[in-house]
Amino acid sequence: MSKYHELAQTLRRAMEDGTYEAGSRLPTTPELCEIYHVSNTTVKKAMDELEQLGLVARRRGSGIYVKSASSLGRGLDQSLSTSGQMTGFIAENAGTDAKVTSEVHGFSIVHPSEAVAEALGIRTEEFVYDICRVRLADGVPRNVEYTYMPLKLVPGLLEEHLYGSIYHHLEQDLGLKIDSAHRVLRAVMPTEDELSWLKLKANQPLLEVRQVGYLDDGTPFEYSTTRHTSDYEFFVVSTH
């Protein structure tokens, strides 16, 4: 095992055991060199590896910060950096002739649960948007999305935005830059509502994708669970 990979694994374990907490700044390169008795090059390559895995984020003029993905669990956590895939349902269908529409089944402002608050790096006393919508292509239901976004980070979100691309609103209207995500995939059985919304038979499983989305400065902006119909194809591309 190379020294930089060994250091990356050591730092990852330190993040998992709370030595370096989610949202905290990692020691500087000289400090890491002294702590772990390695060279600048080793530290740089280790940081590159952790960034590629989506575990840390660089903030200009501030340092490198630990991302808050612990709430997604262990084992199935893909720890994927998916910048270049953070495009949304409309962009996924941009290369087809399909007409994309949405059905909104819920839109409110609530206090987050502990799990949602932890994923978004906020307090349970703060407010989030609670969104439930079904995405359709040419009138065919493809997935159901359950999304939470911090009110303070995404001000002025209206129901009209939910019928189009929320990501477009974030980037074009609010000037935010969407960067990467941590995703966990698993097969699940649909709820009664999902059977109706997606027009499924009771024995048809769904592909569930749980995701924490990050802006380019490492700030979590979205905690979502999307349940896709069985014909959904999931691709992973790292652009780092």
Side-chain angles (χ1 to χ4, degrees):
M1 180 185 297
S2 63
K3 279 193 173 183
Y4 76 83
H5 183 67
E6 184 177 349
L7 176 59
Q9 293 301 309
T10 298
L11 292 172
R12 181 170 184 168
R13 287 192 294 270
M15 295 174 199
E16 292 173 352
D17 68 20
T19 301
Y20 300 124
E21 296 181 347
S24 66
R25 184 175 66 83
L26 287 174
T28 64
T29 296
E31 289 170 341
L32 289 171
C33 290
E34 183 175 349
I35 293 169
Y36 296 103
H37 307 291
V38 293
S39 67
N40 287 353
T41 301
T42 297
V43 171
K44 182 182 181 303
K45 288 185 176 181
M47 291 300 106
D48 289 344
E49 181 171 320
L50 292 174
E51 186 177 23
Q52 185 175 3
L53 289 171
L55 299 178
V56 301
R58 301 175 192 269
R59 300 184 187 178
R60 288 194 193 94
S62 182
I64 298 177
Y65 287 77
V66 180
K67 287 187 176 181
S68 54
S70 59
S71 62
L72 291 178
R74 307 284 184 248
L76 283 178
D77 186 353
Q78 300 297 307
S79 295
L80 300 174
S81 176
T82 55
S83 60
Q85 273 199 283
M86 293 293 292
T87 54
F89 187 73
I90 290 178
E92 286 179 0
N93 287 271
T96 72
D97 294 326
K99 180 182 178 181
V100 175
T101 55
S102 300
E103 295 176 353
V104 178
H105 293 279
F107 181 46
S108 59
I109 295 174
V110 301
H111 291 296
S113 67
E114 289 187 5
V116 172
E118 182 182 357
L120 293 175
I122 61 177
R123 296 175 290 111
T124 55
E125 294 81 9
E126 298 183 60
F127 290 97
V128 295
Y129 297 103
D130 182 355
I131 302 164
C132 174
R133 61 180 182 167
V134 172
R135 313 306 302 278
L136 305 91
D138 283 340
V140 178
R142 294 299 187 186
N143 66 50
V144 55
E145 300 174 351
Y146 306 95
T147 304
Y148 298 94
M149 291 183 173
L151 190 67
K152 65 181 181 182
L153 190 64
V154 188
L157 187 66
L158 303 175
E159 185 169 348
E160 65 187 60
H161 295 129
L162 310 187
Y163 292 97
S165 169
I166 298 177
Y167 285 4
H168 182 274
H169 171 64
L170 266 61
E171 293 195 308
Q172 300 302 315
D173 299 336
L174 300 182
L176 302 175
K177 185 178 179 182
I178 297 171
D179 181 66
S180 61
H182 283 272
R183 287 172 171 167
V184 176
L185 284 68
R186 65 171 183 162
V188 297
M189 298 306 294
T191 66
E192 289 298 321
D193 281 338
E194 290 163 354
L195 286 174
S196 174
W197 294 339
L198 297 174
K199 297 179 173 57
L200 299 175
K201 297 178 180 179
N203 62 346
Q204 288 184 260
L206 303 175
L207 175 63
E208 180 185 274
V209 180
R210 278 192 294 150
Q211 170 175 295
V212 177
Y214 297 92
L215 302 177
D216 61 340
D217 65 357
T219 302
F221 76 92
E222 171 193 58
Y223 177 79
S224 66
T225 301
T226 304
R227 292 185 160 192
H228 300 268
T229 54
S230 57
D231 57 349
Y232 177 71
E233 296 181 351
F234 183 79
F235 296 92
V236 175
V237 178
S238 175
T239 59
H240 288 283

